[in-house]
Amino acid sequence: MSCRACACSKLFFSPTRRTRLATAPSQHRRFSTPINDPDGLGRYSVILPEEPFVFGVSHIRNRPVPASITRPPYVDGLKEKKGNGVIELGGREEERVRRAARLARDTRNYAGSLVKAGITTDAMDEAVHEFIVGHGAYPSPLLYEGFPKSICTSVNNIIVHGIPDERPLEDGDIVNIDITVYLDGYHGDTSQTFLVGDVDDKGRALCTLTNAALKAGIKACGPGKHFRDIGRAIHNLVKKPYEGMDFSIAPQFTGHGIGKTFHTLPWVLHTWNEEPEVMVPGHCFTIEPPLVHGSDPRAWIFPDGWTASTENCARSAQAEHMILITDKGAEVLT
């Protein structure tokens, strides 16, 4: 789950965007782009906030979690202890981080198996919630800073933090499913963007490049390397046209350190940057580049306070892995 600590204060609900798309049907929160596709962004349904607008998420029901399952501190209103993102290698802490990461990976794969036209993202949230608690873990997004669901489902033009709802997935959609689990006191975090049925070539190219960007970022990791090398590697890949199309990186959302704490140092930028910090053995963090079709990665937040959409309604995709720096290199945990 992307960190939004340094991003969301810059994003806001946009009356201008609401006016521009005022003819969109409010039922199921969707709008279809014009048939002639004048912006060259492809054919897909645009996700918009439901009307009449409801601000916040207090009206959304939270799924229950068995009392026997250990909850992260924030569920009970306590603050997580911030750290430096370094875990102790070769002992109990590394073992628990690896277990949480494996469960996150298995959960992501299970969630992907549910993706098909006609299923609602809320039904997916219910199934994945049961999968996670059935494995003795807590779904980390649930009640994190008030987030009301157990997973994030970001469809088409939604960059990150989409809230599962009653809109059925449509043939031609793309959907990012962001999974984080809390197992034995440690978080495991991963995501992937899945294709729903017959996705057009532009949507497929976006998803392919997103996974290539993640791989490029991972390749830049290792003990003694700078964190800035991750963003530079992704930048150098994405700045080049891909299959004749331009793509960009949404800079508002970052990767982050993870372990006992959901989001902590180091903050991992996916764009060109000059951050001086160096990776050391034990650093555990996520890389999760959010790519946007076209050259405009600006975003705005829905009235719910979470859902981040591209301003021009272009599609976005994201892929995420947890990385552990070891004495010998970098290992993908998810």
Side-chain angles (χ1 to χ4, degrees), residues 198-222:
D198 186 18
V199 176
D200 66 1
D201 290 341
K202 294 174 181 178
R204 289 177 179 272
L206 169 63
C207 295
T208 298
L209 184 61
T210 298
N211 281 286
L214 174 59
K215 291 180 181 178
I218 294 170
K219 192 174 180 180
C221 295

Side-chain angles (χ1 to χ4, degrees), residues 82-117:
K82 299 300 181 182
N84 59 4
V86 177
I87 67 168
E88 182 180 354
L89 297 178
R92 180 181 179 185
E93 187 168 32
E94 180 183 354
E95 179 184 347
R96 289 192 173 190
V97 166
R98 288 180 177 276
R99 284 188 60 209
R102 284 196 297 269
L103 179 58
R105 176 202 63 200
D106 294 345
T107 306
R108 179 198 66 216
N109 293 342
Y110 171 69
S113 74
L114 302 174
V115 173
K116 62 181 180 179

Side-chain angles (χ1 to χ4, degrees), residues 222-290:
K225 295 186 177 182
H226 288 88
F227 278 97
R228 64 179 176 236
D229 294 339
I230 297 171
R232 291 181 177 190
I234 295 171
H235 167 86
N236 288 333
L237 175 69
V238 177
K239 72 177 182 179
K240 305 172 186 176
Y242 180 72
E243 295 191 1
M245 293 174 280
D246 290 329
F247 296 89
S248 53
I249 306 160
Q252 306 93 334
F253 304 98
T254 72
H256 52 88
I258 189 167
K260 288 183 178 179
T261 304
F262 194 168
H263 296 105
T264 190
L265 296 171
W267 309 121
V268 180
L269 305 181
H270 304 112
T271 52
W272 186 278
N273 67 88
E274 301 291 344
E275 289 293 325
E277 189 171 359
V278 172
M279 302 175 211
V280 300
H283 258 135
C284 188
F285 54 90
T286 68
I287 303 175
E288 42 190 306

Side-chain angles (χ1 to χ4, degrees), residues 4-319:
R4 64 174 193 154
C6 56
C8 283
S9 61
K10 302 177 184 178
L11 306 175
F12 52 88
F13 176 60
S14 169
T16 301
R17 175 60 53 194
R18 180 186 64 196
T19 301
R20 178 180 172 186
L21 300 176
T23 58
S26 59
Q27 186 178 12
H28 300 318
R29 299 167 46 174
R30 63 187 179 189
F31 170 83
S32 295
T33 55
I35 294 175
N36 59 0
D37 185 23
D39 298 320
L41 297 176
R43 288 185 48 79
Y44 55 94
S45 292
V46 172
I47 307 302
L48 292 173
E50 188 174 9
E51 297 182 29
F53 301 124
V54 178
F55 290 84
V57 294
S58 61
H59 60 289
I60 300 176
R61 181 180 66 87
N62 308 137
R63 301 194 191 281
V65 176
S68 59
I69 290 178
T70 302
R71 291 155 167 72
Y74 51 79
V75 175
D76 297 317
L78 303 175
K79 289 186 178 181
E80 288 188 299
K81 293 181 180 179
K82 299 300 181 182
N84 59 4
V86 177
I87 67 168
E88 182 180 354
L89 297 178
R92 180 181 179 185
E93 187 168 32
E94 180 183 354
E95 179 184 347
R96 289 192 173 190
V97 166
R98 288 180 177 276
R99 284 188 60 209
R102 284 196 297 269
L103 179 58
R105 176 202 63 200
D106 294 345
T107 306
R108 179 198 66 216
N109 293 342
Y110 171 69
S113 74
L114 302 174
V115 173
K116 62 181 180 179
I119 191 172
T120 67
T121 50
D122 189 62
M124 293 170 59
D125 179 81
E126 180 179 16
V128 173
H129 177 93
E130 293 302 323
F131 183 92
I132 293 171
V133 299
H135 285 79
Y138 183 92
S140 303
L142 183 62
L143 300 179
Y144 177 76
E145 295 187 4
F147 191 81
K149 292 291 185 177
S150 298
I151 60 175
C152 299
T153 51
S154 301
V155 179
N156 294 344
N157 54 293
I158 305 305
I159 305 174
V160 294
H161 303 156
I163 299 174
D165 61 18
E166 294 299 327
R167 176 192 181 272
L169 292 178
E170 299 177 358
D171 186 68
D173 282 346
I174 61 173
V175 54
N176 176 269
I177 305 176
D178 198 337
I179 302 292
T180 315
V181 302
Y182 185 72
L183 179 66
D184 293 333
Y186 290 83
H187 296 274
D189 193 2
T190 183
S191 85
Q192 182 56 260
T193 300
F194 298 94
L195 307 177
V196 184
D198 186 18
V199 176
D200 66 1
D201 290 341
K202 294 174 181 178
R204 289 177 179 272
L206 169 63
C207 295
T208 298
L209 184 61
T210 298
N211 281 286
L214 174 59
K215 291 180 181 178
I218 294 170
K219 192 174 180 180
C221 295
K225 295 186 177 182
H226 288 88
F227 278 97
R228 64 179 176 236
D229 294 339
I230 297 171
R232 291 181 177 190
I234 295 171
H235 167 86
N236 288 333
L237 175 69
V238 177
K239 72 177 182 179
K240 305 172 186 176
Y242 180 72
E243 295 191 1
M245 293 174 280
D246 290 329
F247 296 89
S248 53
I249 306 160
Q252 306 93 334
F253 304 98
T254 72
H256 52 88
I258 189 167
K260 288 183 178 179
T261 304
F262 194 168
H263 296 105
T264 190
L265 296 171
W267 309 121
V268 180
L269 305 181
H270 304 112
T271 52
W272 186 278
N273 67 88
E274 301 291 344
E275 289 293 325
E277 189 171 359
V278 172
M279 302 175 211
V280 300
H283 258 135
C284 188
F285 54 90
T286 68
I287 303 175
E288 42 190 306
L291 268 60
V292 174
H293 187 187
S295 58
D296 183 2
R298 292 179 297 175
W300 62 287
I301 298 294
F302 281 12
D304 60 38
W306 281 97
T307 307
S309 169
T310 54
E311 276 200 359
N312 64 354
C313 296
R315 277 176 292 190
S316 178
Q318 187 179 37

